[in-house]
Amino acid sequence: MQYALLLYEDESVYGPGKSGPEMRGIVARHIAFREELGATRLGGAGLAATASATTVRTTKGKQTVHDGPFAEIKEQLGGFYLIEAPDLDATIAIAKRVPVLRDGAVEIRPLLQIRE
Amino acid sequence: MIGAALDRVFREAGGRIVAALASRFRDLTLAEDAFAEACRRALETWPATGMPNDAAAWLYSVAVRAGLDAVRRLHTAQRFAAGAEEAVAADIASDFDARLIPDERLRLIFVCCHPAIGAETRAALTLRLVCGLSALEIARAFLVSEKTLQQRLVRAKRKIAEAGVPFEVPGPSVWPGRLDAVLSTLEIAYAKAYEDAAGQGPYAAYAAEVLELSRLLVQLLPDEAEVWALAALARFTEARRPARLAVDGRMVPLAEQDPACWDRGLIEEAAVYLRRAAALDSRRPRVLQARLHAAWCARTRMADPPPWPQILALYDALLTVRDDAVVRLNRAVALAEVAGTETALAEVERLDACALADFAGYHAVRADLLRRLGRSDEACRAYDAAIALISTSAEQRWLVERRDALRS
């Protein structure tokens, strides 16, 4: 199966605009983790700070564009991995190895399987 | 006649059949539907043909065919149909021998109790699929509407399928957490049965189902101390059911229960489970909890003094492996009897009052200690807090009686 690992952390710990000194450290750890995952990793990316986010919301067919992320919460979506794993247990094991600086959460979402 | 016989087969073999089907088709909903279809066909044909010699095997065999039909209809991957078709041929040739139904119940239990499923839903799902309780029975026990429970079950089954929860007993590396999820699921299930102290509600047989499930788990996981301990715990607790209520429906606290009313047969059974648990590992939290119950159940008549010093020693031991507020609170009750009320109250006042504000037991223990120290006003306020939070009428009556005695 294919899964997305969505990384939620408090982006303020990485400094303004995610350019503080702690950012370099975590990026190095992600690069190492990416090596470790090898072929298990299908894709992924880090995201710029939520200050740069724009949301297109559709309500009752009407679309509006908003400044900011989809939800204002304590922790923000900061990046994601796309991986291939046999099942949820294997994915949980991988999610537990994702580098996190302090508190944070990794949400596991199976990718939609489009059947013909 | 057929209806009653069929009912018994459903109860006794349903869990095993559903587990085997789920393992074969890797789809809980399909497994359940296929079993329901087999039961429907049994109701149609058995009155005319009589019960087959091995009814469980008949049901399984018919359910596998129903499952395969469903798979074909769904046009899902060929890989299911190919392998399963050969297996069906083997089932039919075996002339309905139930021993050939693979026992996949442990796998099914681990799937139902996966941490990716909400804790209360795990218990409901296990009782539905492994014990064969109806959604209505479970809904009553969990005090939710049948519709709500059905929705939770459907959502859980969908989550299991879509999130890719493996149909496997997990490997040793994740064993501690996963086994704990299974055991706490059983604890939640038993707690629901325990709340109905009179055992006369529409789910009177419910506690028996949980005892049976704990016995099954012991068979499936015979090397795990806490599995044996949980089977012992549930039996010790269940043995005291006849003494838990006074004639007016008020709760009788453990120390005031007449041991002559306890179910000795069940206590002896529990002791056997506990001996095995203690031999495997006597310091595990659930083993220590079972030993606490054993200490109480060693009392055979009111004249035997309550075993407070032993209870306190066991709570001290439990604190070293499970230090939480509930253990500290229970320990304080024993401490009051051994070291005095003041000492016990000082312990309770050291707990985090904010974190325990919504816990009825905290207020009830405080109220009792304050009452004993003659601090009536504070005791009344604590009783009020406990009464507002308590969910069972037996405990509520007991607390109201205590409080009103203080006011008069």
Side-chain angles (χ1 to χ4, degrees):
Chain A
M1 286 180 70
Q2 295 179 353
Y3 293 89
L5 305 181
L6 310 175
L7 282 54
Y8 289 87
E9 291 179 86
D10 179 352
E11 63 186 7
S12 69
V13 304
Y14 295 113
K18 286 197 184 178
S19 57
E22 309 224 74
M23 192 63 192
R24 281 187 292 279
I26 198 86
V27 165
R29 285 171 63 194
H30 278 291
I31 289 168
F33 184 59
R34 180 183 164 152
E35 293 289 306
E36 222 180 296
L37 285 178
T40 299
R41 181 185 164 280
L42 305 172
L47 304 180
T50 49
S52 65
T54 307
T55 302
V56 178
R57 177 179 269 285
T58 305
T59 311
K60 290 178 185 154
K62 192 166 168 275
Q63 292 190 318
T64 45
V65 179
H66 297 270
D67 174 31
F70 163 63
E72 290 287 350
I73 43 174
K74 215 171 78 219
E75 285 153 338
Q76 297 78 31
L77 180 61
F80 63 94
Y81 285 92
L82 293 180
I83 60 158
E84 173 80 44
D87 55 44
L88 182 62
D89 284 354
T91 309
I92 290 173
I94 293 168
K96 285 181 173 168
R97 287 159 44 207
V98 170
V100 171
L101 188 60
R102 279 169 216 160
D103 295 341
V106 177
E107 180 177 323
I108 300 168
R109 295 279 288 272
L111 298 198
L112 270 177
Q113 296 176 55
I114 308 297
R115 295 195 184 91
E116 70 285 1
Chain B
M1 274 300 286
I2 291 286
L6 196 55
D7 227 35
R8 208 183 56 242
V9 180
F10 291 170
R11 287 269 165 175
E12 286 171 4
R16 186 157 169 173
I17 294 172
V18 171
L21 293 168
S23 175
R24 171 167 287 176
F25 294 109
R26 302 291 153 125
D27 183 331
L28 294 179
T29 309
L30 196 145
E32 249 193 322
D33 290 349
F35 180 58
E37 174 63 17
C39 293
R40 201 182 57 74
R41 288 193 202 161
L43 278 172
E44 268 172 24
T45 55
W46 291 1
T49 61
M51 287 258 289
N53 283 340
D54 197 324
W58 188 98
L59 285 169
Y60 177 59
S61 177
V62 171
V64 169
R65 264 175 289 173
L68 282 171
D69 287 346
V71 168
R72 285 199 200 95
R73 276 198 303 275
L74 288 166
H75 295 293
T76 37
Q78 286 291 307
R79 59 200 160 99
F80 289 123
E85 206 143 15
E86 289 158 29
V88 168
D91 285 339
I92 293 168
S94 73
D95 199 19
F96 303 142
D97 184 342
R99 284 169 300 180
L100 294 181
I101 307 174
D103 193 350
E104 305 286 11
R105 284 174 296 180
L106 188 61
R107 283 188 187 192
L108 184 58
I109 291 170
F110 270 99
V111 170
C112 292
C113 300
H114 198 282
I117 308 296
E120 288 235 327
T121 307
R122 283 180 219 156
L125 199 58
T126 308
L127 291 165
R128 176 75 200 102
L129 294 179
V130 185
C131 301
L133 264 64
S134 74
L136 181 63
E137 287 173 296
I138 303 165
R140 281 180 180 152
F142 283 83
L143 302 175
V144 295
S145 73
E146 188 184 3
K147 193 170 162 234
T148 305
L149 190 97
Q150 286 281 21
Q151 284 167 346
R152 278 191 206 162
L153 292 176
V154 167
R155 212 180 302 134
K157 283 183 277 188
R158 192 181 300 150
K159 166 92 192 256
I160 286 168
E162 287 176 358
V165 171
F167 206 81
E168 295 297 338
V169 173
S173 61
V174 290
W175 193 245
R178 294 293 303 275
L179 180 61
D180 206 60
V182 171
L183 294 176
S184 36
T185 299
L186 246 67
E187 282 167 345
I188 291 170
Y190 182 75
K192 292 292 170 191
Y194 183 82
E195 278 173 13
D196 175 24
Q200 285 167 348
Y203 43 97
Y206 187 76
E209 299 285 352
V210 180
L211 291 195
E212 175 57 23
L213 193 55
S214 71
R215 193 190 57 80
L216 171 67
L217 211 57
V218 159
Q219 269 179 13
L220 298 172
L221 296 167
D223 297 325
E224 294 295 325
E226 291 210 292
V227 172
W228 288 88
L230 187 67
L233 255 171
R235 279 162 182 77
F236 279 129
T237 314
E238 194 57 22
R240 296 194 306 263
R241 188 183 287 275
R244 283 175 50 206
L245 291 185
V247 275
D248 62 357
R250 173 175 49 85
M251 175 190 99
V252 182
L254 186 46
E256 291 164 30
Q257 288 174 17
D258 182 359
C261 297
W262 294 344
D263 182 338
R264 283 291 141 196
L266 211 46
I267 289 175
E268 275 161 33
E269 211 182 300
V272 173
Y273 282 104
L274 175 56
R275 268 200 293 283
R276 182 78 193 116
L280 286 165
D281 188 345
S282 64
R283 308 290 294 176
R284 300 292 292 277
R286 288 186 182 84
V287 182
L288 286 163
Q289 279 172 294
R291 287 170 64 193
L292 277 159
H293 285 268
W296 277 111
C297 290
R299 251 185 135 196
T300 55
R301 54 207 172 94
M302 290 302 268
D304 295 339
W308 291 118
Q310 199 186 344
I311 297 294
L312 182 61
L314 284 165
Y315 273 120
D316 284 336
L318 188 55
L319 265 188
T320 64
V321 285
R322 206 194 111 186
D323 188 352
D324 64 34
V326 177
V327 175
R328 287 195 172 268
L329 212 51
N330 284 317
R331 180 180 170 276
V333 174
L335 192 65
E337 304 293 336
V338 177
T341 315
E342 300 246 22
T343 316
L345 185 62
E347 279 288 312
V348 171
E349 303 295 26
R350 262 200 289 278
L351 298 173
D352 181 353
C354 284
L356 291 166
D358 291 333
F359 181 49
Y362 167 69
H363 299 289
V365 169
R366 262 192 93 235
D368 189 55
L369 296 172
L370 289 164
R371 178 185 62 84
R372 291 202 216 180
L373 290 170
R375 290 160 65 176
S376 300
D377 288 348
E378 289 164 275
C380 276
R381 278 199 298 278
Y383 275 122
D384 286 338
I387 289 162
L389 290 165
I390 211 83
S391 61
T392 71
S393 69
E395 277 176 276
Q396 194 158 34
R397 283 188 197 197
W398 175 70
L399 290 166
V400 166
E401 193 173 273
R402 287 273 169 118
R403 182 198 59 193
D404 293 351
L406 271 184
R407 283 189 179 156
S408 59

